[in-house]
Amino acid sequence: MNLRHTIEVCRGLEDEMTKQYAIGSADSEWGDGIAQTLTFIVTEDCNLRCKYCYITHKAKNKALSFETAKRFIDYILNEERINKNQGVLLDFIGGEPLLEVNLIREICDYFKIKTYEMGLDWYWNYRIDICTNGVNYDSEAVQNFIKGNEGKLSIGITLDGTKQKHDLQRIFPDGTGSYDVIKKNIPLWLEQFHGSTKVTFASADLIYLKDSIIDLWNQGIVDISANVVYENVWKDGDDDIFESQLKKLADYIISNELYNSYTCTLFMDHIGHPYSKAQLNNTSCGAGRMLALAPNGKIYPCMRYYDYSLNNKMGYIVGDINGGIDFEKLRPFRLTMYKYQSDNECLNCPIATGCEFCQGFNYDEAATDTNFQRAKYICNMHKARVRANNYYFSLLKNLKGIKRNNYYWENEMIFLINGKYTSFCSYENQCGLAMVMGKEEISNGLRFSEKNFLRPVFVYSKYDTLQLSSEYDGYDILYRIPIEIYNPKIEYVDHEIIVSEDSINNLLSKIPKQDRIILNINSENIANLYVNIVRCFDYTNRINLNIMNISPMFNLNEYSKQLSMIKDAIVEYFKSHGRLIELNVLTDLLFVDCHEQCSAGENSITYAPDGEFYICPAFFSENEGSVGNIVDGIKIENQHLLYTKMNPLCDGCNNYQCENCRMINKMFTNEVNISPSFQCLKASIERKQSFMLYKLLENHIENLHVVEDTEVIDPICFVAKGVN
């Protein structure tokens, strides 16, 4: 764990110890989610005819035989290529699995005896999992099975919520609802198992979502796993209904303070940001690790590949009880990762995480017989869910002071509340336009940011009077506040203090310690850099330094001298206080391995007081032309030039701490994607001093990124020669 992470963890310890949330957090998976799953399709028959069921070809008189199950178990236990060092999940499914409860008992008993005789860890490291509709839960046979497997058995009963919602979908063959029959078994089930159920929503029953979740909680069902169907059933406007119901549920949760009492997977703290490099190598489905045995003796990658749940394809068979598993046919499933299953739309989606799928359904819907084509019928539903999640976690933070874990915002929308806004990057606002954003413009902007998954960032001037509004409670707003208007009487949930050289002496002592301070220093006063930086040490954990008005006249030698002194001061402070002060231009290289530079036009957009969008605040102040508005949306010509990968100098450069201001680029080179030489040389000096800081700290702090020594040189020397 690097020190930056340690600091972040320590900062939040007090809050986490007193304020937590269950609704929105993920339950830990048994076996760390890597246990081998053996699925037994014990019957194709069911005593219900649920309208949304993906098993579309149910059949009577197609039950698994005990002999077939035995041969499957014998093969699995003797097959060396099956990893038995992890746990195993014995999953029983139908149809309705408890129609064959005696068969399930026989299979479990045989598995336990065989694993014991063979001395396998699976003898004790196993779990039995059954999902049932609950119709015959109270039968003598079922109850005897439960008693015989206590402590190793998990049974979930599917109850869909209110009677109206449940009976709309979960019906008997004669068309009557099953709610009353199942509900009478719920008290017994809750006595025996932790209350957990799965709820499925389709187009027709979305309007009952809020009431259904609440009803289940009121019945004592604590944990609710909920999802929408993957099939192509969604109509125009369903996403609006879905979002509205989720937001109403969020209001209910917050107002009744239920956020740490129950769970519901419709709210999850980790969904709604782009795939990371690590996530691209994962998938949302365990097919291939969920070997399924069908009544016909065939083996499938999971039960969704069995013919009874396929409508367009034949079953995907990977073996049988006679010949065993064809492991060549399982090879593709080791490679079914997001980066190979997704098209460019999904790979580049700003809210990709949490958009799950079923590989078996993907296979059935694919244009060819492949597992590498992703069905995308729930795209709009996922977007609605993400917006509702952002709303819920914003309420949780703003009203209860509980911050969201496992999440980061990729894109932001900067609100210039005042034309005389205080600068927060290396561009200094000198235009001083007497324009103030009105309440209506702010409201319109917030709705736009919500719809487009942009985090609102409010930027004020030192002439503003800061007033927070309850109208903002449903938004996760970051407030960038000049130190001049900081008000200790206002409870800021998330903010950054902006400090300038002329305010650092007389105002810094008036604010409490901050997680982060933005410090603006004029390039002409670079000789005062060390003094000003050190003054901030006792007031913050991190300093984001902006050198304003950098130009070809910037004194690089003096800058190097000042950074060297600051570097030594950081080390001494660490030794004396046990705390590393982060300074972006020096310490970021110790922790990051990719560019975190200017995001203007790529990951951020600016909303100005004139109601127009601009690439960044500088483009507004310099009257460089708008790129859209609330009504017409955003359109940036040649937007690709704003991407780091399209900057020839940055693409192969490892000065990851470099800001690379797009406006400075345009002012001095006429191109937004080409840095002037002095900006590159400034970054190289920072890297030189970062290397020296790394050498002083490498034996004291674990897991620092290695910083390599380099001579200060303009990277164009390499790129122009084709070296880079």
mmCIF file of all heavy atoms in Angstrom, residues 161 257 271 324 580 591 676:
data_model
loop_
_atom_site.group_PDB
_atom_site.id
_atom_site.type_symbol
_atom_site.label_atom_id
_atom_site.label_comp_id
_atom_site.label_asym_id
_atom_site.label_seq_id
_atom_site.Cartn_x
_atom_site.Cartn_y
_atom_site.Cartn_z
ATOM 1 N N GLY A 161 -42.017 -8.975 -4.423
ATOM 2 C CA GLY A 161 -42.439 -7.693 -3.847
ATOM 3 C C GLY A 161 -43.885 -7.713 -3.450
ATOM 4 O O GLY A 161 -44.348 -8.661 -2.811
ATOM 5 N N GLU A 257 -33.676 6.693 7.120
ATOM 6 C CA GLU A 257 -32.356 6.271 7.611
ATOM 7 C C GLU A 257 -32.199 4.748 7.587
ATOM 8 O O GLU A 257 -31.805 4.122 8.577
ATOM 9 C CB GLU A 257 -32.091 6.832 8.999
ATOM 10 C CG GLU A 257 -32.077 8.357 9.039
ATOM 11 C CD GLU A 257 -31.564 8.926 10.336
ATOM 12 O OE1 GLU A 257 -31.620 8.213 11.361
ATOM 13 O OE2 GLU A 257 -31.095 10.076 10.341
ATOM 14 N N ILE A 271 -20.587 1.272 -9.431
ATOM 15 C CA ILE A 271 -21.031 1.315 -10.821
ATOM 16 C C ILE A 271 -20.986 2.736 -11.371
ATOM 17 O O ILE A 271 -21.080 3.718 -10.634
ATOM 18 C CB ILE A 271 -22.449 0.734 -10.993
ATOM 19 C CG1 ILE A 271 -23.516 1.697 -10.457
ATOM 20 C CG2 ILE A 271 -22.572 -0.624 -10.306
ATOM 21 C CD1 ILE A 271 -24.925 1.331 -10.881
ATOM 22 N N GLY A 324 -16.355 -37.243 -21.001
ATOM 23 C CA GLY A 324 -15.756 -36.174 -20.217
ATOM 24 C C GLY A 324 -15.843 -34.828 -20.918
ATOM 25 O O GLY A 324 -16.585 -34.644 -21.891
ATOM 26 N N LEU A 580 3.680 12.409 4.801
ATOM 27 C CA LEU A 580 4.183 12.901 3.534
ATOM 28 C C LEU A 580 3.259 13.986 2.993
ATOM 29 O O LEU A 580 2.083 13.727 2.739
ATOM 30 C CB LEU A 580 4.308 11.770 2.514
ATOM 31 C CG LEU A 580 4.835 12.173 1.131
ATOM 32 C CD1 LEU A 580 6.289 12.595 1.215
ATOM 33 C CD2 LEU A 580 4.671 11.038 0.123
ATOM 34 N N PHE A 591 3.468 8.013 -7.414
ATOM 35 C CA PHE A 591 2.246 7.233 -7.242
ATOM 36 C C PHE A 591 1.483 6.950 -8.527
ATOM 37 O O PHE A 591 0.645 6.057 -8.541
ATOM 38 C CB PHE A 591 1.313 7.951 -6.265
ATOM 39 C CG PHE A 591 1.917 8.250 -4.933
ATOM 40 C CD1 PHE A 591 2.175 9.550 -4.548
ATOM 41 C CD2 PHE A 591 2.246 7.234 -4.064
ATOM 42 C CE1 PHE A 591 2.738 9.836 -3.324
ATOM 43 C CE2 PHE A 591 2.807 7.506 -2.831
ATOM 44 C CZ PHE A 591 3.061 8.806 -2.458
ATOM 45 N N PRO A 676 4.523 24.244 -25.828
ATOM 46 C CA PRO A 676 5.702 25.066 -26.060
ATOM 47 C C PRO A 676 6.904 24.505 -25.312
ATOM 48 O O PRO A 676 6.746 23.775 -24.326
ATOM 49 C CB PRO A 676 5.292 26.436 -25.519
ATOM 50 C CG PRO A 676 4.255 26.125 -24.488
ATOM 51 C CD PRO A 676 3.523 24.921 -24.991
#
